[in-house]
């Protein structure tokens, strides 16, 4: 009898722990939660005010290809971008990215999931040294009617100017209209300097601006 009582005293706590573990797994499955453990890089101080504390878990250096791109139709601000290749063994998880250039904090942006070996493009701030404009040349633009047909002639002038004392390589983009109906025809398109649009009508010029140089582009 004494042995049975001792056995009950051992098995009861085990059964309670097993039941608690089973309930925990049921809750995890219901919420589809996932827990992962990482080793922090060095000791960290966690405050007691309930605020989130960033804990570094690793670092990797990757190659980056910087560029300056501009689309004056959408924005008169040229922006810096960085094409990054994830050469590490671990994926880059989606979330916020803090941007620093030469130690100066620029701001935050967002990144999607990037697997090992994949490339992605990151926003890296505004290129203040490039001045853009996009205006309508009214002398070469008109609107006329011929019976039930309406004819519209439009000419846009795009300028890009380098305000700095150093040369700037720039990818300039614009577009021409692309008709998706037989009732509208796009004719006599003139592009200066010459460029070939893609199937969506997007034009791209890869140019290099000398210090204080300004270039003009026309789409008519």
């Amino acid at each position: 009898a004494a042995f049975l009582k001792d056995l009950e005293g051992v098995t009861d706590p085990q059964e309670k722990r097993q039941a608690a573990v089973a309930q925990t797994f049921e809750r995890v499955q219901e919420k589809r939660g996932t827990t992962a453990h990482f080793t922090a890089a060095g000791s960290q101080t966690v405050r007691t005010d309930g605020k989130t504390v960033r804990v570094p878990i690793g670092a990797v250096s990757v190659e980056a290809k910087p560029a300056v791109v501009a689309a004056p139709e959408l924005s008169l601000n040229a922006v810096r971008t960085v094409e990054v290749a994830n050469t590490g063994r671990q994926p880059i998880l989606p979330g916020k990215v803090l941007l620093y250039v030469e130690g100066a904090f620029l701001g935050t942006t967002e990144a999607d999931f990037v697997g090992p070996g994949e490339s992605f493009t990151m926003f890296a701030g505004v290129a203040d040294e490039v001045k853009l404009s996009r205006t309508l040349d009214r002398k070469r633009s008109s609107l006329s009617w011929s019976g039930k047909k309406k004819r519209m002639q439009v000419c846009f002038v795009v300028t890009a100017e380098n305000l700095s004392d150093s040369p700037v390589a720039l990818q300039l983009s614009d577009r021409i209209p692309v008709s998706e109906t037989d009732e509208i025809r796009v004719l006599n398109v003139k592009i200066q300097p010459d460029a070939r649009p893609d199937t969506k009508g997007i034009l791209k010029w890869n140019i290099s601006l000398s210090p204080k140089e300004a270039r003009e582009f026309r789409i008519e």
Side-chain angles (χ1 to χ4, degrees), residues 121-208:
T121 302
M122 186 71 62
F123 168 77
V126 177
D128 295 329
E129 68 273 22
V130 178
K131 181 181 179 181
L132 301 172
S133 68
R134 189 178 190 269
T135 58
L136 179 67
D137 187 346
R138 298 187 178 278
K139 294 182 178 180
R140 303 184 64 86
S141 302
S142 62
L143 181 63
S144 60
W145 290 85
S146 177
K148 295 183 179 180
K149 295 182 179 181
K150 179 169 63 174
R151 178 183 178 87
M152 180 171 57
Q153 180 171 328
V154 180
C155 179
F156 285 102
V157 180
V158 178
T159 59
E161 182 179 1
N162 180 11
L163 302 177
S164 70
D165 296 327
S166 302
V168 174
L170 173 68
Q171 184 184 86
L172 184 66
S173 299
D174 213 293
R175 65 171 181 171
I176 61 172
V178 175
S179 176
E180 296 182 354
T181 174
D182 294 336
E183 297 179 354
I184 299 176
R185 291 188 298 169
V186 180
L187 304 172
N188 302 327
V189 177
K190 298 179 182 178
I191 302 170
Q192 296 178 352
D194 188 32
R196 185 181 298 275
D198 62 14
T199 56
K200 297 181 180 180
I202 303 299
L203 300 165
K204 291 183 179 180
W205 292 278
N206 292 311
I207 61 175
S208 179

Side-chain angles (χ1 to χ4, degrees), residues 57-63 84-92 120:
I57 62 174
V60 61
S61 297
V62 296
E63 295 183 358
V84 183
N86 181 14
T87 56
R89 297 182 179 179
Q90 301 294 332
I92 298 176
F120 63 102

Side-chain angles (χ1 to χ4, degrees), residues 24-96:
T24 300
F25 274 101
E26 288 178 359
R27 290 196 298 269
V28 170
Q29 289 178 354
E30 290 177 357
K31 298 181 180 180
R32 296 184 179 180
T34 301
T35 301
H37 296 271
F38 299 92
T39 301
S43 60
Q44 300 293 325
T45 300
V46 180
R47 297 175 298 185
T48 60
D49 54 6
K51 293 184 178 180
T52 302
V53 178
R54 291 182 178 271
V55 179
I57 62 174
V60 61
S61 297
V62 296
E63 295 183 358
K65 183 179 180 181
V68 178
V69 299
E73 182 187 12
L74 301 177
S75 173
L76 294 181
N77 291 321
V79 299
R80 299 183 184 277
T81 63
V82 179
E83 184 178 350
V84 183
N86 181 14
T87 56
R89 297 182 179 179
Q90 301 294 332
I92 298 176
L93 301 180
K96 291 184 178 180

